Amino acid sequence: MLKRSHNCGELRKKNVGNEVILNGWISKRRDHGGLIFIDLRDRYGKTQIIFNEEIQPDAYNQIFRLGLEDVIGVKGKVILRPDDAINSDISTGEIDIEVIEIQVFNEADQMPFNVNDRNSASEDHRLKFRYLELRTKEMQENLKLRHETAQITRKFLHEKEFIEVETPILMKSTPEGARDFLVPSRLHKGKFYALPQSPQTYKQLLMVSGIDKYFQIVKCFRDEDFRADRQPEFTQIDIEMSFIQQDDIIKIGTDLTRKIWSETIGIELPNKFPVMTYQDALENYGIDRPDTRFGMLLQEFSEFVQKSNFNAFKTVLDNDGRVKAIVASGCAKYSRKIIDELTDFLKQYHNAKGLAWMKSTNGDLEGGISKFFNEDLRQEIIKSCNINDNDIVFIVGDKSKIVFSALSALRLEIAKRENLIDQNIWAPIWIVDFPLVEWNEDENRFDALHHPFTSPNFDDIDKMDSNPGNVRSLAYDIVMNGYEIGGGSIRIHSSELQAKIFNLLGISNEEAEEKFGFLMNAFKYGAPPHGGMAFGFDRIVMLLANCSQIRDVIAFPKTTSAISLMDNSPANVDKNQLKDLHLEIIRT
C-alpha cells in the first residue's frame, strides 16, 4: 500500500520539491477541465492535491470516478501555490501536491449527512451515525481537548506525588443517592454486582491502606433521570488524601483547575477562588451553584409583605414560607405576554404557583400587585431594593425550595434574554458549609445531602442530637459559571461517628453491616483523617470547548433518555443468556 510519509496537516513551504505520500478522506473536490483539485483530510488537517490529466492520465481517470469520503493514498510532489492561490486559513495553504500515483483503499456509500457541516443534520441523526460525526472538525477538536485535559491532570497529580490506582467496576450495591446499575451474577444465583456511582468506599479503603495520595480518571454510573449535562456513564477525576483538612483539598482543587484552564485554553484564573457559604449562595442566587458573572441578586421581601394588604403572601409567611424578589434592570418594557410566558415557565418547570410583579415608572411602582402596597411602602421598596425607573420587580412567595428554585431560574432566563452574561468571563467559586442532612418529607426522615460518609463540621457536633438539620458538613463544591464542576468532603474516619450518622439517617445496624460492614471493619484498624473530591471530567471539557452539552465531548454518548441510537442499546437479549443469569422477564 501507499503508506503515508506525512499527515495532511504537516507539509509546508519548506517541503517544496519533496516526494511525499499522504493518506486520507476526500473532503472536497473541484473539477476544472483536465484538472481536479481535491482536499484530502485526516485528523491533522487538510492538504490540497492536484490531479492533472496531461501529466498523470491514469491517476486522473481513477479520481474522476471517486466521490466524497472515499479513502485514498496518493504519492506526489510538493509544489508551491501561486501567490493569488494561497489559503491563509489552513496551515498547508501555501503548497499543493501534484499527484503521481493513487491507490483507492475504500469507496464510501452516499453519506447520511455532510461531515464538512456538522449542522447539516439533526442531533439524533448524527448520533445514529456517530462514527461519521466524529470525522467533523469540531468533534475531533473536542476529543483532542479531552485528551489534553486528561494528560495535564495526570502530569499535575503525578508531580504532587499522587498514585493512580484503578478500583473495581463490579462492586457491591450501596445507597449513595442515585439508583445503581445492577449486573446479575451467573455464578452466584440471585445475586448482583453494581456498577459504581463513584469509587467512594474504595478510595476510603485506600486511605486505610496507607496510600495517602490517590487519584484516577474513572468511569462512574448512575441510573437517574438525565439532562443536557448528564449521562448514565460519565467520567470523574477522583482524588483522595490523608492527613489533610478542608483548606488542603480546596487548594489542590484550585491549583488543578488553574492548571487545566491555563494549559488548554490559555486562561489564567486567579490564585485563589472566592469562597461562599451554601446559605449565602441560596439567599443571594437561589442555588448552590451560582453563576456570579452578573448581578440581579435575590432580595428579601417579607418585611414589605407584612406591611402590605397582599394576603396571599402573608399566608405564605404564616406557614413558614419565604417571599423573595429580583429586580430586572430596564425590563419594565416586558409586555404582559412576556410576563405570562415567564410565569408559565416557572409553573411548569419549578412548581411555582405564580409570579408577582411591579413596574417602576416615574418614581413609583405600578401594575401587577402594586395596588396592595400603599404609596409610602412603595417608596420604601424602591429605596431599599435600589429600583430605578424602567425596572421591574418580580416576586415569588412559597416554600423555601420553590422560591429559591423559581427565582434562580428566572434570574438566568432574564440574563439570557437581556444578554447580561459576558461569555469571556470565567467565574470560579467554592461553595462551603453545606448542611449535613436534609429532611425528606416523603419518607419522614433525614437524608445525607452529599453521602453518608461526609464528616459533620466539628463546631456543630453538639447539635447532632438536638437539631441535626442545622449541622453543617465539611463538604465543598467548586462551581464555574453556574456549573458544578467538582465536589467532595472531609470523610468520617471514626467508626463511632459513622455509626451515629447511620442512625441519624435511619440506617439500622443490620443494614449498615450489610451495606458497609467491610468499610466499618476497616476503620477499626487505624483509619487516618482523610478527605477528597471528584471533578466532573466531561463537564470540565464541555466548558473548555464552549459546548452546551456534554454529549459533544464524549465519543459515544447516550441520548437524554439513556439510549444509544448508534447500536440500539439497551437491547433485548436471548432466552439462553437470561437462563444463564437465572433471570426471567416479566411483561406487564
Side-chain angles (χ1 to χ4, degrees):
M1 64 174 280
L2 290 177
K3 184 179 178 181
R4 67 182 175 187
S5 61
H6 298 78
N7 64 56
C8 293
E10 186 177 354
L11 297 171
R12 302 289 188 274
K13 187 176 180 179
K14 65 182 180 181
N15 301 110
V16 169
N18 295 350
E19 187 174 277
V20 299
I21 297 175
L22 300 182
N23 299 157
W25 287 260
I26 297 175
S27 179
K28 187 177 180 180
R29 63 177 290 162
R30 297 168 298 284
D31 296 0
H32 292 279
L35 288 177
I36 297 178
F37 294 86
I38 295 289
D39 285 351
L40 195 66
R41 183 196 72 242
D42 61 14
R43 79 173 179 90
Y44 303 96
K46 292 180 182 178
T47 299
Q48 182 171 272
I49 59 178
I50 304 174
F51 292 82
N52 190 319
E53 184 178 20
E54 292 185 1
I55 298 175
Q56 284 294 337
D58 290 342
Y60 178 87
N61 289 332
Q62 277 188 276
I63 197 66
F64 192 79
R65 62 179 175 80
L66 296 180
L68 298 182
E69 299 305 310
D70 290 348
V71 189
I72 64 173
V74 294
K75 179 190 290 184
K77 184 178 179 181
V78 182
I79 61 174
L80 193 64
R81 287 193 187 189
D83 289 345
D84 59 356
I86 290 174
N87 183 355
S88 58
D89 293 333
I90 59 174
S91 60
T92 59
E94 289 186 297
I95 59 92
D96 290 329
I97 306 298
E98 195 171 64
V99 175
I100 300 169
E101 182 182 348
I102 178 175
Q103 183 177 0
V104 179
F105 298 129
N106 210 317
E107 295 185 31
D109 288 348
Q110 184 174 346
M111 299 297 289
F113 64 92
N114 180 5
V115 299
N116 292 308
D117 179 10
R118 187 167 172 241
N119 295 319
S120 64
S122 68
E123 185 186 23
D124 281 357
H125 193 62
R126 298 195 312 267
L127 286 173
K128 183 177 180 180
F129 298 95
R130 183 64 163 189
Y131 45 86
L132 297 181
E133 186 180 17
L134 292 179
R135 291 185 191 176
T136 65
K137 181 180 179 181
E138 180 181 346
M139 289 303 302
Q140 297 213 341
E141 287 179 349
N142 289 351
L143 292 183
K144 182 182 177 185
L145 178 61
R146 186 184 178 99
H147 162 77
E148 290 171 350
T149 304
Q151 299 311 307
I152 291 164
T153 298
R154 284 195 165 91
K155 183 173 185 290
F156 172 86
L157 293 171
H158 169 72
E159 290 175 351
K160 299 290 184 182
E161 298 184 318
F162 283 79
I163 296 175
E164 185 169 9
V165 182
E166 295 178 349
T167 53
I169 292 297
L170 296 176
M171 63 175 290
K172 188 173 189 175
S173 178
T174 57
E176 291 190 40
R179 294 184 188 89
D180 285 327
F181 281 105
L182 298 177
V183 181
S185 170
R186 178 182 62 84
L187 298 176
H188 303 281
K189 184 176 180 179
K191 294 188 176 181
F192 294 81
Y193 301 101
L195 303 181
Q197 296 183 34
S198 76
Q200 183 62 52
T201 52
Y202 288 115
K203 65 182 181 181
Q204 290 193 256
L205 289 170
L206 287 171
M207 297 302 103
V208 177
S209 303
I211 309 298
D212 69 324
K213 290 184 176 182
Y214 141 92
F215 88 97
Q216 66 175 322
I217 299 177
V218 59
K219 279 285 187 185
C220 301
F221 307 85
R222 292 180 187 172
D223 186 6
E224 59 184 350
D225 297 330
F226 303 109
R227 60 188 188 214
D229 60 338
R230 285 185 179 172
Q231 284 278 294
E233 51 181 315
F234 58 96
T235 305
Q236 285 184 176
I237 303 170
D238 206 47
I239 296 170
E240 198 79 4
M241 302 167 67
S242 294
F243 308 114
I244 44 82
Q245 295 179 320
Q246 178 170 294
D247 288 348
D248 300 305
I249 302 291
I250 285 179
K251 184 178 188 312
I252 200 81
T254 298
D255 290 347
L256 176 56
T257 304
R258 293 184 68 247
K259 190 76 168 178
I260 290 171
W261 256 254
S262 175
E263 295 198 7
T264 54
I265 60 174
I267 295 297
E268 300 301 327
L269 299 173
N271 291 334
K272 289 186 176 182
F273 299 166
V275 177
M276 182 183 297
T277 68
Y278 169 86
Q279 198 59 42
D280 283 347
L282 284 188
E283 294 293 344
N284 291 309
Y285 296 93
I287 197 167
D288 59 4
R289 44 181 175 82
D291 189 337
T292 60
R293 290 175 293 175
F294 63 101
M296 210 190 314
L297 304 188
L298 277 60
Q299 302 194 47
E300 191 60 51
F301 212 75
S302 304
E303 179 185 349
F304 309 122
V305 169
Q306 296 286 23
K307 298 177 183 179
S308 75
N309 297 316
F310 195 58
N311 292 327
F313 279 173
K314 284 185 177 181
T315 301
V316 166
L317 295 175
D318 290 342
N319 288 284
D320 297 323
R322 299 290 301 275
V323 181
K324 299 203 74 152
I326 58 173
V327 177
S329 179
C331 293
K333 62 188 178 185
Y334 283 3
S335 65
R336 188 56 186 264
K337 180 176 180 292
I338 292 176
I339 294 172
D340 287 345
E341 288 174 359
L342 295 173
T343 303
D344 291 341
F345 165 68
L346 296 186
K347 284 181 177 179
Q348 182 176 356
Y349 296 106
H350 299 277
N351 298 318
K353 296 181 180 68
L355 178 62
W357 57 274
M358 295 183 280
K359 294 182 178 181
S360 176
T361 307
N362 298 322
D364 199 2
L365 296 175
E366 60 181 38
I369 63 171
S370 62
K371 64 184 178 182
F372 297 103
F373 298 76
N374 63 42
E375 184 176 355
D376 288 344
L377 185 53
R378 294 198 301 270
Q379 291 303 312
E380 186 180 342
I381 293 170
I382 288 172
K383 183 178 180 181
S384 179
C385 296
N386 223 0
I387 301 170
N388 298 311
D389 274 0
N390 299 318
D391 293 351
I392 186 170
V393 188
F394 287 111
I395 312 109
V396 174
D398 212 311
K399 295 178 181 178
S400 295
K401 279 189 176 181
I402 293 175
V403 169
F404 289 138
S405 174
L407 285 179
S408 67
L410 181 62
R411 176 178 176 268
L412 286 172
E413 178 64 22
I414 292 172
K416 291 172 185 175
R417 286 173 177 257
E418 301 300 314
N419 295 316
L420 300 180
I421 303 174
D422 187 340
Q423 301 297 333
N424 296 313
I425 290 177
W426 293 99
I429 188 169
W430 286 96
I431 307 299
V432 300
D433 289 347
F434 284 84
L436 181 69
V437 294
E438 60 181 348
W439 185 249
N440 185 327
E441 292 185 3
D442 295 332
E443 300 291 335
N444 197 36
R445 60 174 171 79
F446 284 109
D447 288 336
L449 192 67
H450 279 76
H451 55 66
F453 313 112
T454 298
S455 174
N457 188 312
F458 298 112
D459 292 338
D460 293 348
I461 288 288
D462 59 340
K463 302 176 185 175
M464 288 281 293
D465 295 321
S466 61
N467 195 1
N470 281 349
V471 175
R472 295 169 297 165
S473 67
L474 294 177
Y476 33 82
D477 282 354
I478 181 171
V479 176
M480 183 74 78
N481 293 1
Y483 287 93
E484 178 196 331
I485 61 170
S489 66
I490 300 299
R491 322 301 187 189
I492 298 169
H493 63 278
S494 158
S495 298
E496 293 77 13
L497 181 56
Q498 187 66 72
K500 190 176 183 69
I501 295 296
F502 284 155
N503 183 62
L504 174 62
L505 299 176
I507 299 174
S508 67
N509 292 337
E510 293 76 15
E511 185 181 0
E513 178 62 30
E514 166 65 20
K515 301 287 188 183
F516 307 110
F518 63 98
L519 182 62
M520 298 299 95
N521 192 52
F523 283 174
K524 297 175 183 178
Y525 298 105
H530 61 282
M533 68 177 298
F535 284 92
F537 184 69
D538 309 295
R539 199 169 291 172
I540 285 175
V541 180
M542 178 189 79
L543 290 172
L544 295 172
N546 194 28
C547 298
S548 60
Q549 57 186 22
I550 62 173
R551 291 192 295 276
D552 286 346
V553 297
I554 298 172
F556 298 103
K558 307 291 190 294
T559 66
T560 50
S561 56
I563 293 172
S564 171
L565 297 175
M566 185 184 69
D567 61 8
N568 292 318
S569 63
N572 295 321
V573 296
D574 65 45
K575 292 182 179 179
N576 288 331
Q577 287 178 284
L578 292 173
K579 185 178 179 181
D580 285 345
L581 294 170
H582 322 292
L583 295 177
E584 182 180 354
I585 302 297
I586 299 175
R587 307 289 182 184
T588 58

